[in-house]
Amino acid sequence: GDSVTQMEGPVTLSEEAFLTINCTYTATGYPSLFWYVQYPGEGLQLLLKATKADDKGSNKGFEATYRKETTSFHLEKGSVQVSDSAVYFCALFPNFGNEKLTFGTGTRLTIIP
Amino acid sequence: DTAVSQTPKYLVTQMGNDKSIKCEQNLGHDTMYWYKQDSKKFLKIMFSYNNKELIINETVPNRFSPKSPDKAHLNLHINSLELGDSAVYFCASSNHRGRGTEAFFGQGTRLTVV
């Protein structure tokens, strides 16, 4: 079945550091890929998405590129801020089969000033 | 206006009780979901409804019964609550078969069974 593997957390970085959160997936065909963010006490919000190979999703300084050859969708940001502290989820939606969002385990990110 | 709204936000109840969580979306989506988030933040789908029809029912105990009176509402009723049901429950909605269509999530209902 479909699955998403995310980098284990928690991750703690200093403000303005470079961020990478790794995400790889297993799915048949070409799923759509997403990064969601969950701020403390809130629901999930879509951060960015990509629907086909080599697409790059970007939002709020975050980027992720859909790499079919490595089945990856790593999240990056060049300079993190304290306000980026949250839990980040990688997810996929298959292009056929059981149509549901499958999430990774989440990565808790803490940015210290 | 809140896109996906759940009530209540917090629910504390005793073992053995029956409780319901309500969810409404005003986005015009045709598909709604219930997800359970455990204490380690792991998210697992429980149910999915499309146009009031159940399309996904993961291995969830029969004590959990979703009800969709119309496309905009998906409620979750839980019978005979157990300690292990304590979690945050998220409702979400999206358009079915929309490739790349994002799911919108509610704020969550934190259920504590004591």
Side-chain angles (χ1 to χ4, degrees):
Chain A
D2 299 335
S3 67
V4 176
T5 302
Q6 258 183 263
M7 171 176 167
E8 289 276 338
V11 174
T12 302
L13 295 172
S14 297
E15 207 166 17
E16 299 183 2
F18 184 86
L19 168 71
T20 300
I21 301 178
N22 289 339
C23 171
T24 58
Y25 68 90
T26 301
T28 306
Y30 292 83
S32 295
L33 301 174
F34 304 85
W35 276 100
Y36 279 83
V37 58
Q38 184 178 24
Y39 298 104
E42 297 185 12
L44 281 78
Q45 304 171 27
L46 179 70
L47 182 59
L48 52 84
K49 68 180 183 184
T51 59
K52 60 184 187 297
D54 300 325
D55 264 4
K56 178 186 279 188
S58 60
N59 186 27
K60 299 181 181 180
F62 290 89
E63 292 183 340
T65 302
Y66 190 143
R67 302 283 188 204
K68 179 65 177 173
E69 62 277 12
T70 53
T71 61
S72 65
F73 193 54
H74 304 322
L75 182 68
E76 296 182 337
K77 186 174 185 182
S79 176
V80 291
Q81 306 301 315
V82 172
S83 57
D84 294 327
S85 298
V87 181
Y88 292 81
F89 293 90
C90 186
L92 71 81
F93 192 94
N95 62 343
F96 68 92
N98 210 354
E99 296 192 4
K100 61 178 182 179
L101 267 174
T102 296
F103 286 91
T105 51
T107 301
R108 183 181 297 278
L109 173 67
T110 302
I111 308 301
I112 53 178
Chain B
D1 278 348
T2 305
V4 181
S5 60
Q6 296 178 227
T7 54
K9 188 170 182 180
Y10 299 96
L11 185 54
V12 181
T13 188
Q14 290 187 325
M15 280 174 52
N17 283 350
D18 304 338
K19 290 293 179 186
S20 292
I21 307 171
K22 296 186 176 181
C23 179
E24 175 181 6
Q25 55 98 358
N26 62 5
L27 298 167
H29 289 162
D30 57 9
T31 303
M32 296 184 72
Y33 311 82
W34 278 109
Y35 280 83
K36 180 179 179 180
Q37 186 175 47
D38 63 23
S39 58
K40 295 183 179 179
K41 297 292 188 183
F42 186 67
L43 276 158
K44 186 171 172 56
I45 191 167
M46 302 171 68
F47 302 103
S48 170
Y49 269 73
N50 173 253
N51 286 315
K52 302 195 297 176
E53 180 183 345
L54 181 67
I55 58 171
I56 292 176
N57 183 353
E58 297 287 294
T59 4
V60 176
N62 291 336
R63 299 181 295 102
F64 290 79
S65 53
K67 285 189 171 50
S68 182
D70 55 56
K71 283 196 321 182
H73 295 84
L74 180 61
N75 304 322
L76 183 66
H77 188 76
I78 316 170
N79 289 327
S80 304
L81 278 155
E82 300 177 358
L83 292 177
D85 298 331
S86 295
V88 181
Y89 292 84
F90 286 101
C91 178
S93 72
S94 71
N95 274 329
H96 195 49
R97 302 184 195 283
R99 184 170 172 75
T101 301
E102 67 180 279
F104 288 78
F105 283 78
Q107 294 294 295
T109 297
R110 181 175 294 278
L111 171 66
T112 304
V113 183
V114 296

